[in-house]
Amino acid sequence: FPVTIRVLISGASGTGKGAIVRWIHANSTRGAKPFLIATLEKSFASQVSLAQGGTLLIPEISELPLGEQKALLNFLKTTSIPHLDNHQTRILLNVRIVATTDHSLEKRAQGGLFNPELLEKLNTFRIEMPPLSKRTDEFEDIELRLQGDKNRQVGEKLFDTNDARYEDLKSSIEEVIALSATTYERLS
């Protein structure tokens, strides 16, 4: 992803929008810089400055109040925010904005609940996450990943990797796997 491109990710709740955002951040030149998740409790200006050089995720942007939408739009136009002590001075920032939603922003804009100009600015690069019911081929991969994570957690609790018994068990498992592979090859 180009360094400054804005991304809008839409899809139902639980479809992996947050995972995609983290992947985008981690696999960009911003990966070593801050990754912040905005909250509705704090002002946009106070949060965007903390993400300098990195990525600011605005989850469920459809719930952003119209006043904050205006502040975000102004930032997208100028890449700056007003200085806290002197509103006539602006601070330039280098922050990628990524927003997620599980609502139709187009319908919200038509209903006056979302700024249509902001929608246009955010729609630079849009990713539509299909519902999980259309992605059943991914379930096995997800299950294997979760199982691997759980096995690693259990293994870390059960064994001290510096313990000789751990090395003996590891060698035994590797030997069983090698023998199983050889037996399978002979049978097929």
Side-chain angles (χ1 to χ4, degrees), residues 58-71:
I58 305 173
E60 202 43 62
I61 194 162
S62 64
E63 296 175 8
L64 197 64
L66 288 171
E68 291 297 296
Q69 290 179 31
K70 185 177 179 182

Side-chain angles (χ1 to χ4, degrees), residues 5-53:
I5 194 168
R6 293 177 292 275
V7 181
L8 176 61
I9 304 173
S10 58
S13 181
T15 56
K17 296 183 297 284
I20 295 295
V21 174
R22 284 179 176 77
W23 184 91
I24 289 169
H25 174 74
N27 289 282
S28 73
T29 56
R30 296 177 185 269
K33 304 287 185 184
F35 174 83
L36 272 80
I37 301 174
T39 65
L40 293 175
E41 292 77 34
K42 296 179 182 176
S43 73
F44 171 77
S46 67
Q47 296 178 79
V48 72
S49 61
L50 298 174
Q52 173 63 9

Side-chain angles (χ1 to χ4, degrees), residues 134-174:
K134 299 204 184 301
R135 296 166 41 202
T136 55
D137 57 322
E138 295 177 30
F139 291 166
E140 186 177 341
D141 292 338
I142 292 169
E143 181 183 357
L144 290 171
R145 170 82 188 267
L146 291 173
Q147 189 176 19
D149 290 348
K150 187 67 175 168
N151 289 345
R152 265 191 303 286
Q153 289 172 355
V154 169
E156 288 169 1
K157 290 177 186 170
L158 291 177
F159 296 103
D160 174 0
T161 56
N162 295 322
D163 189 330
R165 292 174 296 167
Y166 171 81
E167 288 302 320
D168 290 343
L169 178 61
K170 183 178 167 191
S171 295
S172 297
I173 291 171
E174 289 170 349

Side-chain angles (χ1 to χ4, degrees), residues 1-132:
F1 280 88
V3 174
T4 57
I5 194 168
R6 293 177 292 275
V7 181
L8 176 61
I9 304 173
S10 58
S13 181
T15 56
K17 296 183 297 284
I20 295 295
V21 174
R22 284 179 176 77
W23 184 91
I24 289 169
H25 174 74
N27 289 282
S28 73
T29 56
R30 296 177 185 269
K33 304 287 185 184
F35 174 83
L36 272 80
I37 301 174
T39 65
L40 293 175
E41 292 77 34
K42 296 179 182 176
S43 73
F44 171 77
S46 67
Q47 296 178 79
V48 72
S49 61
L50 298 174
Q52 173 63 9
T55 302
L56 180 67
L57 164 61
I58 305 173
E60 202 43 62
I61 194 162
S62 64
E63 296 175 8
L64 197 64
L66 288 171
E68 291 297 296
Q69 290 179 31
K70 185 177 179 182
L72 173 57
L73 176 60
N74 195 21
F75 172 75
L76 294 176
K77 287 179 176 179
T78 65
T79 66
S80 67
I81 58 171
H83 192 281
L84 293 176
D85 297 329
N86 180 357
H87 287 283
Q88 294 177 339
T89 306
R90 298 192 65 83
I91 302 169
L92 283 174
L93 295 172
N94 176 12
V95 177
R96 173 186 298 182
I97 301 295
V98 180
T100 64
T101 185
D102 59 6
H103 291 86
S104 168
L105 294 181
E106 290 78 7
K107 286 182 183 174
R108 293 182 70 82
Q110 289 170 353
L113 299 173
F114 199 81
N115 185 314
E117 190 178 359
L118 176 58
L119 175 57
E120 184 181 318
K121 289 281 186 194
L122 287 172
N123 238 342
T124 305
F125 188 85
R126 190 170 194 157
I127 299 172
E128 297 280 342
M129 296 297 292
L132 292 176

